[in-house]
Amino acid sequence: MSDPAVSASRPTRWGVAAVLGLVGAVAIGVIVMAFVWPAATAKPQNLPIGISGPAASVTAVEKALAAQDPAPFALEKVSSRADAVARIKERTLYGAVLLGDTPEVLVATAAGPAPAQALRAVAAKLQSQIDASAQSALIAQLTAISQALAAGQRPTLPDAGSAPRAVPTVHVTDVVPVAAGDPTGAGLAAAAFPLVLGGMLGGIILTLRVQGAIRRLVGLAAFGVAAGVVIVTVMQTWFGILAGSWLLNAAVVALSVTATGALIIGLAALLGPIGIGVGAVITLLVANPIAGAAVPSPFLPGPWGAIGQWFVPGASVTLLRSTSYFPDAATAAQWLTLAAWLAGGVLLTLIGHRRTAAELAPAAPEPEAPPVAA
């Protein structure tokens, strides 16, 4: 029989070492792909944008967008500027293009810097087209005058008493700007990862250091409340990244980290230590990259943006953005999503605890056989 001490000190075989190195490289590649892929492939596609103005102008814009695949914007007609502003504040539109004699582009930087930047590019292109059209009209007028003079005719000149028509200027209005402490709008997007990581760490620590399912859930509740207070104090009171109701923002953060922690605790109770890894993969590698924190969900390829909104990170970021800047927006879907993940984690915890308790319970003694009569 081999000596265990000698076996433990024996060097690992070359093939095993090489395979482990390759597995580690593949794992790193998967992690990098999960975080880089959404950012590398993100682009405006079917972003809901309002439009109004003369029918001919609206039709021309619709045809120009229809020629692009995928179309960057999904145009929705609005009845007026007030209608466009109201729908932007309700988060059913990311902005609006108002055509006519006084063209204007409405943006909402608080909805994300990427959509606002895309709409500012639309305003610049619209201004260049207006300038080109005015220049073409002036050239056509000068050409007609020169042709009339060459033919020995009297050219038709503009009325000297009438003032020349000014070239319209496309104005860009930020309907919902970001907070003063977050001038670029990147602060809220950057906070998404700490929320995910904080919820994971809370769940892992409670799983490893607290015995008892109910005690873990009580500890998770205390952790969630404290995390909501601390995080919103830092983000809103200290740095001024968030706006709106302080208590409502704290409730969003508390529910977010509690839902993530509940998932970790529940999976660990059901599957054992491997459940921590499963919860980390679901939260960090699957849900976080498609949460739509850096760019809105319509920017993400395929259906992934919509799918990401049904996970904790996506629902949390969308809800926190709404409570901070868009009080008129509908938020029931995000609240219910977070509550469902929290309830699911609690249910998994109780199921796992019940099964473990049943496995550890001592078996009932077998009844003694009655004595046999002589």
Side-chain angles (χ1 to χ4, degrees):
M1 181 179 294
S2 61
D3 187 354
V6 174
S7 300
S9 61
R10 185 177 299 164
T12 304
R13 287 181 294 177
W14 293 103
V16 174
V19 170
L20 291 176
L22 291 176
V23 170
V26 171
I28 292 176
V30 171
I31 294 173
V32 171
M33 183 182 68
F35 282 90
V36 172
W37 165 73
T41 57
K43 58 183 177 181
Q45 48 184 342
N46 299 319
L47 201 67
I49 299 297
I51 189 169
S52 69
S57 301
V58 172
T59 301
V61 173
E62 290 175 340
K63 288 183 178 179
L65 291 178
Q68 304 181 43
D69 187 23
F73 305 114
L75 298 179
E76 300 182 16
K77 293 184 179 179
V78 293
S79 59
S80 63
R81 186 183 188 278
D83 181 30
V85 171
R87 293 176 64 179
I88 291 171
K89 291 183 176 181
E90 293 170 357
R91 299 200 72 182
T92 58
L93 296 176
Y94 280 90
V97 178
L98 310 178
L99 306 173
D101 295 334
T102 57
E104 185 180 14
V105 174
L106 305 180
V107 303
T109 310
Q117 184 178 1
L119 283 168
R120 291 181 189 277
V122 170
K125 187 174 183 180
L126 184 60
Q127 185 65 64
S128 65
Q129 291 176 345
I130 292 174
D131 294 341
S133 177
Q135 185 177 11
S136 298
L138 179 59
I139 292 175
Q141 188 179 39
L142 294 176
T143 301
I145 292 175
S146 62
Q147 289 175 349
L149 291 175
Q153 301 175 355
R154 183 178 180 180
T156 302
L157 300 177
D159 186 1
S162 61
R165 185 178 180 182
V167 177
T169 300
V170 180
H171 295 281
V172 177
T173 304
D174 196 345
V175 177
V176 188
V178 292
D182 188 21
T184 62
L188 182 56
F193 185 74
L195 290 181
V196 172
L197 192 60
M200 287 177 53
L201 288 177
I204 293 171
I205 292 172
L206 291 169
T207 298
L208 297 179
R209 304 302 300 175
V210 176
Q211 297 299 322
I214 304 301
R215 288 174 174 81
R216 289 175 183 171
L217 294 178
V218 171
L220 179 63
F223 167 76
V225 172
V229 171
V230 171
I231 292 174
V232 175
T233 297
V234 172
M235 293 183 63
Q236 186 163 349
T237 306
W238 190 355
F239 289 113
I241 293 175
L242 299 178
S245 170
W246 192 97
L247 288 177
L248 196 56
N249 292 337
V252 174
V253 173
L255 183 57
S256 172
V257 297
T258 305
T260 300
L263 177 65
I264 299 293
I265 293 174
L267 289 173
L270 189 67
L271 304 176
I274 194 175
I276 295 176
V278 174
V281 168
I282 293 174
T283 302
L284 195 61
L285 297 185
V286 176
N288 186 66
I290 59 175
V295 294
S297 55
F299 275 60
L300 299 176
W304 295 108
I307 293 173
Q309 295 303 300
W310 295 106
F311 288 92
V312 173
S316 300
V317 172
T318 300
L319 182 57
L320 190 58
R321 195 180 293 276
S322 293
T323 56
S324 293
Y325 296 110
F326 298 91
D328 297 335
T331 57
Q334 290 79 42
W335 285 110
L336 290 175
T337 298
L338 296 178
W341 280 98
L342 175 58
V346 172
L347 182 61
L348 290 177
T349 301
L350 297 178
I351 292 174
H353 171 70
R354 188 180 185 89
R355 190 183 69 177
T356 302
E359 292 175 351
L360 297 178
E366 295 183 1
E368 295 182 0
V372 179

